[in-house]
Structure formats: C-alpha cells, structure tokens
Amino acid sequence: MSKEGKSSLSEIAVDYIRKQILQGKLSQKEKIVESDIAARLGMSRGPVRDALKQLMYEGFLDYETNKGYSVSMLSPKDAYEIFFLRGNLENLALERCGGRLLSDCVFSMEDAVMAMKRAVEEDDMEKQIQYDEIFHKQILISGQMDRLTGLWETLSPLNGAMFYTIRQINEYMEKKQLSEEPEDPASKDGRRGNNYLEHKWLLEILRGSSLEQSKRAINAHYMASGERIYRIGRQMKGLSIQAYF
C-alpha cells in the first residue's frame, strides 16, 4: 500500500476513534483494543496503531507499557497550561491590533457563534470544537503577526481534548451535585457549560469594548476556566490542591 493510502486509512481511524470518544461511546479509562478497531473498520492494525499515537498526541489517550491505550482526559496541569498559553497569545494579538478586530474577522466570528448555537442545540461536540477554533483564530488574524498565529496553532491539536476534559469536569460536578462558587459569573448567567452563550458574551465584548476590557474577557474565558479545571481535576483524581499558579 502506498504511503498516501496508509495515511488516509490512519486519518479515517483517527476520525472514527475521536468521534467515539467525543460522543461518549468510549468511556473514560476504557481500554482501546487495536485489533478490535481494525476489524471494525476493515483495515490492518498498522493504520490503527498510527491513529492511536496521533490521538495520544492530541490528549485523548494514555499509554501504559503492557496495558496499552485507554481513553483519558488531560491532566489538571496540562489543561491549565493550555488555557494559560492560548489566553496569553490571544491577548498579545489584541495588543497588536489595539483591541480593534478586523471587520472581516468580526463577520467570521459572528458566523461561528451562530453555527455554534446550532451545534450546541444538536449536542454536536465536534462542530463546537470546529467553530471554537474558527472564532478564536480571528483574534490572531487581527493581530497580523504570522509567527504569533503559528504559535497559537501549535496548541490547536489539543483543542478537542480540552473540550472533552471540560465536559468530564462538568459531568463530575453534576454527578456529585456540587455547586460552583457563588461569585462565578459564568454560572450565574448560564454561560457555564454552554459554548454558544459563552462565545456570544465574548464576542459582544471583543467587538465593542476597550483593549483592557477585551483582555479581561479573554482572561475570564481562559484563565479562570483553567484554574477551575485544575482545581476540580485534582479533586477528581483524589489529589491535594497544591499551589500552582
């Protein structure tokens, strides 16, 4: 088989397994059996093996020697660092454009928000991830620095795992019937867990506020969420809440 054909089969396997995880058909910590996936997709184990390596890179899987691959959410530390880096890179782009997004970028963000509304209604996480990526990339494009955009894009492969981790955190909170902090504005106005409302709120600030207000909104969107995931993620793993920030 040609290298191109093998790559195509690997991509099919990646898309299939990723979809199974995002749709909840593969559970947290569930073991991924390479031969089972290969048989289900009607392909050899080689492309599936490549797909599992790719999904581990994307943060969806863990690997243990003699145990193989299993479904995993990002560690609290990794999740916080990704949020921290994305937020700071977007703030740098806002500084570069003085908080004034390009008109074409605002239009693209408006379209992404409306598409995200439909994706939320359909509970389609894959599309929510896709439109989240489109929305936030417009901030980087407005900064008009290709290398800055390139740095931000290096984190893009982990965006799906971020969404999956957030959903696991929210489901844990619901299952344990734990309430958020009373001062948490995202919980008070219904934005917590609703990507459409969160990005609608964020867009309203980004297109009509000062640079400092826009940066505060980005910090609320990323930094506060990252700290929340870090804190609750450690509780889920039964770890003490150590100072990290």
Side-chain angles (χ1 to χ4, degrees), residues 133-226:
E133 192 77 6
I134 292 171
F135 179 98
H136 286 278
K137 188 171 182 178
Q138 306 313 307
I139 300 172
L140 278 298
I141 292 173
S142 293
Q144 300 186 71
M145 290 188 71
D146 291 343
R147 291 186 184 277
L148 181 58
T149 302
L151 282 172
W152 181 88
E153 287 177 332
T154 63
L155 299 170
S156 294
L158 295 162
N159 204 23
M162 283 301 318
F163 270 71
Y164 179 70
T165 299
I166 292 169
R167 174 165 285 188
Q168 295 300 307
I169 292 285
N170 290 337
E171 289 179 355
Y172 170 82
M173 295 293 286
E174 292 175 6
K175 184 177 180 180
K176 296 292 185 180
Q177 296 183 327
L178 300 173
S179 60
E180 300 286 354
E181 297 84 345
E183 69 274 11
D184 182 1
S187 293
K188 291 167 69 175
D189 63 15
R191 288 188 284 118
R192 174 71 68 223
N194 188 312
N195 288 306
Y196 160 64
L197 292 179
E198 174 71 10
H199 287 83
K200 180 175 179 286
W201 166 81
L202 189 55
L203 178 57
E204 288 172 355
I205 295 173
L206 290 174
R207 68 181 173 189
S209 302
S210 68
L211 171 60
E212 290 308 312
Q213 288 174 314
S214 293
K215 289 173 64 176
R216 282 197 295 270
I218 289 293
N219 287 340
H221 179 69
Y222 280 118
M223 313 307 187
S225 295

Side-chain angles (χ1 to χ4, degrees), residues 74-116:
L74 292 169
S75 72
K77 182 174 181 291
D78 284 342
Y80 174 77
E81 289 184 2
I82 294 165
F83 267 94
F84 179 86
L85 291 170
R86 279 178 68 107
N88 276 288
L89 290 171
E90 289 179 27
N91 275 336
L92 282 173
L94 285 172
E95 289 176 2
R96 287 291 304 171
C97 67
R100 295 182 294 276
L101 302 178
L102 299 174
S103 297
D104 287 348
C105 290
V106 173
F107 294 147
S108 294
M109 293 167 86
E110 291 171 343
D111 289 344
V113 167
M114 293 312 300
M116 192 176 290

Side-chain angles (χ1 to χ4, degrees), residues 116 143 186 230 235:
M116 192 176 290
Y230 180 80
Q235 291 176 7

